[in-house]
Amino acid sequence: NCYNILKTSAATRFNDKYLLIFITYPRSENCPMYTKYMEAVNSDSPNVLYTVGATWEVNLNTNKEYYKDSYEKDPETASMYYECIPPKHSEGLFKFPERIDAVTVFGRQAQNNSIILEEIITTRKLNNGEIRYFVGLQVHNLNLLNPNYTYYIGGDCGVTGDSYVICLGHAEPVEVEVVENGQPISKIINKPVEDLILEWRPNKKERLPVDLINVSEILEQICRTVHVKKALFDKFNSAEVVQKLMSLGVIAEDKTFSNPFQVQIYQNGKSLIYTGNIELLDYVPRHPDIASPNEELKAVKLINGNKIDHDNKLGNKKVGKDYSDARMGMIWLVSNDEVETVSNFSMPVIMGIKRK
């Protein structure tokens, strides 16, 4: 808006005999400054000039060593300020989104890739005799889930606007080295491992909402196939499914996902991702115009340090945080539950990250 106003003001006074100069650093790859810069890079116009330089390349009285503390505390933000290297997303929760790739098992879309998800249209007859149509799922080969694990469910409940997403995962005991009271000790913790992501996406074009009966049926299938210990849902549209899970012996809770609680579960998940004590699926949505769960997670924002939010678009893909809310709910349950067994735990890892 500023650019357009200044350009119009100049053109109405001086026709094409004017010069606009913009000097600042890019806030993200999709911020206005970086957008105009890339337009200039890709333009053949001789009237558009551009340049970029680090602070110490422009101001020869300083050097990179002067900003050492800034780079140690937050290298991504320091690179943005002093070198004009934009982060992928503005106000991103994950300053190092590549860490998400590091804990993703690429090629694994489910615990067993022979588990097949099929989107269907379901038909329901209402009490008044009216026939209604809904978006449902069929899950094939659920029996391939490993029955030896203890499972946990996180859910985000959309019906007509957002998706209804279920994330199923299990706890894998791992031995880690932590520092308590200044002394390094070995400790067994629960490592969350994603096993299944289920998505019911309402069809807005055809005005088909999510089939909540179908959601309940799929969850019952899962609970009758493997042992599901705990489940966590947002209160919105979740009362009936929580009651159903409780009737199947699951410790289920519908909780208001307030800003403080969302920040808490997201920071918990971020810590596990940064330290490598988690395994994520490489789930690919059935709809090509939808950002994948990992793309969505990388784009999650932390606003003013107290609110989790998101953009609506990521390039040419739609993005929200339905996947992420469900995943973080499951991760929260697993990582905060007691360790049930110490058998078959993975190799020790060191909790912490090393910034290069």
Side-chain angles (χ1 to χ4, degrees):
N1 288 340
C2 290
Y3 174 85
N4 290 335
I5 289 172
L6 290 171
K7 182 177 180 180
T8 302
S9 297
T12 55
R13 288 164 173 80
F14 310 109
N15 296 321
D16 60 349
K17 302 297 189 294
Y18 65 87
L19 177 64
L20 299 182
I21 301 177
F22 296 86
I23 305 175
T24 187
Y25 61 86
R27 272 67 172 176
S28 70
E29 286 190 1
N30 61 350
C31 78
M33 190 65 191
Y34 195 73
T35 299
K36 299 307 295 183
Y37 171 75
M38 292 308 299
E39 285 179 6
V41 170
N42 297 316
S43 173
D44 295 328
S45 172
N47 298 323
V48 181
L49 307 177
Y50 62 91
T51 185
V52 63
T55 296
W56 46 87
E57 293 173 336
V58 178
N59 180 2
L60 301 182
N61 294 321
T62 188
N63 56 67
K64 189 173 183 177
E65 188 67 20
Y66 182 80
Y67 307 101
K68 181 179 179 181
D69 288 346
S70 297
Y71 278 90
E72 289 180 350
K73 291 177 181 177
D74 191 342
E76 186 177 61
T77 301
S79 297
M80 178 181 70
Y81 286 159
Y82 306 123
E83 297 180 76
C84 289
I85 300 174
K88 196 74 177 176
H89 306 287
S90 174
E91 298 181 299
L93 172 67
F94 289 90
K95 299 297 185 184
F96 304 94
E98 66 275 8
R99 298 278 178 176
I100 296 173
D101 295 330
V103 297
T104 298
V105 184
F106 288 100
R108 183 195 291 174
Q109 292 213 45
Q111 184 188 102
N112 188 312
N113 279 342
S114 294
I115 298 175
I116 300 172
L117 310 179
E118 179 185 0
E119 191 172 276
I120 60 173
I121 304 299
T122 60
T123 304
R124 303 291 179 188
K125 186 174 183 179
L126 307 184
N127 291 334
N128 61 4
E130 183 181 355
I131 301 297
R132 291 280 185 88
Y133 300 96
F134 300 84
V135 173
L137 280 184
Q138 280 187 347
V139 185
H140 305 277
N141 301 328
L142 261 180
N143 61 308
L144 295 177
L145 288 173
N146 191 330
N148 296 317
Y149 294 138
T150 296
Y151 290 87
Y152 302 78
I153 289 175
D156 185 72
C157 311
V159 177
T160 58
D162 297 330
S163 293
Y164 201 121
V165 178
I166 298 295
C167 180
L168 179 74
H170 72 268
E172 179 181 318
V174 295
E175 185 177 5
V176 298
E177 188 173 294
V178 298
V179 177
E180 291 186 1
N181 299 321
Q183 297 296 322
I185 63 169
S186 294
K187 185 177 181 180
I188 305 297
I189 66 168
N190 278 336
K191 173 183 176 180
V193 179
E194 277 189 332
D195 295 307
L196 199 60
I197 294 176
L198 304 174
E199 177 193 12
W200 290 259
R201 182 168 291 276
N203 187 325
K204 296 180 182 179
K205 182 178 180 181
E206 303 295 334
R207 297 186 178 181
L208 301 179
V210 172
D211 187 344
L212 297 180
I213 297 176
N214 177 252
V215 173
S216 183
E217 290 170 346
I218 297 296
L219 286 172
E220 183 172 355
Q221 288 180 37
I222 293 173
C223 292
R224 295 193 184 281
T225 303
V226 294
H227 170 54
V228 178
K229 182 178 180 181
K230 292 183 177 182
L232 179 64
F233 290 79
D234 187 357
K235 271 188 176 295
F236 183 69
N237 290 323
S238 64
E240 291 185 7
V241 73
V242 166
Q243 291 175 11
K244 180 66 176 180
L245 288 170
M246 292 175 67
S247 72
L248 294 168
V250 179
I251 303 172
E253 179 183 6
D254 55 345
K255 185 178 180 66
T256 300
F257 276 29
S258 62
N259 287 341
F261 181 67
Q262 279 201 340
V263 171
Q264 187 177 13
I265 64 175
Y266 272 84
Q267 292 287 17
N268 174 72
K270 175 182 175 179
S271 175
L272 291 168
I273 288 170
Y274 275 14
T275 56
N277 290 312
I278 191 172
E279 282 185 18
L280 301 179
L281 293 175
D282 182 26
Y283 179 83
V284 178
R286 294 182 299 278
H287 305 273
D289 62 334
I290 303 299
S292 73
N294 286 352
E295 290 173 328
E296 177 187 288
L297 192 57
K298 291 176 183 179
V300 166
K301 293 184 172 185
L302 178 62
I303 307 299
N304 297 325
N306 59 16
K307 181 183 179 182
I308 299 296
D309 207 344
H310 64 90
D311 290 324
N312 293 321
K313 295 286 288 186
L314 182 61
N316 61 351
K317 294 183 179 181
K318 299 175 185 175
V319 64
K321 63 182 185 71
D322 305 323
Y323 291 127
S324 300
D325 282 354
R327 300 170 98 187
M328 290 300 164
M330 181 278 291
I331 292 167
W332 174 260
L333 291 177
V334 173
S335 59
N336 286 280
D337 202 15
E338 68 274 10
V339 180
E340 293 188 348
T341 175
V342 296
S343 62
N344 299 319
F345 58 79
S346 65
M347 293 297 291
V349 297
I350 305 298
M351 295 189 73
I353 61 172
K354 181 180 179 181
R355 294 177 175 173
K356 295 183 178 180

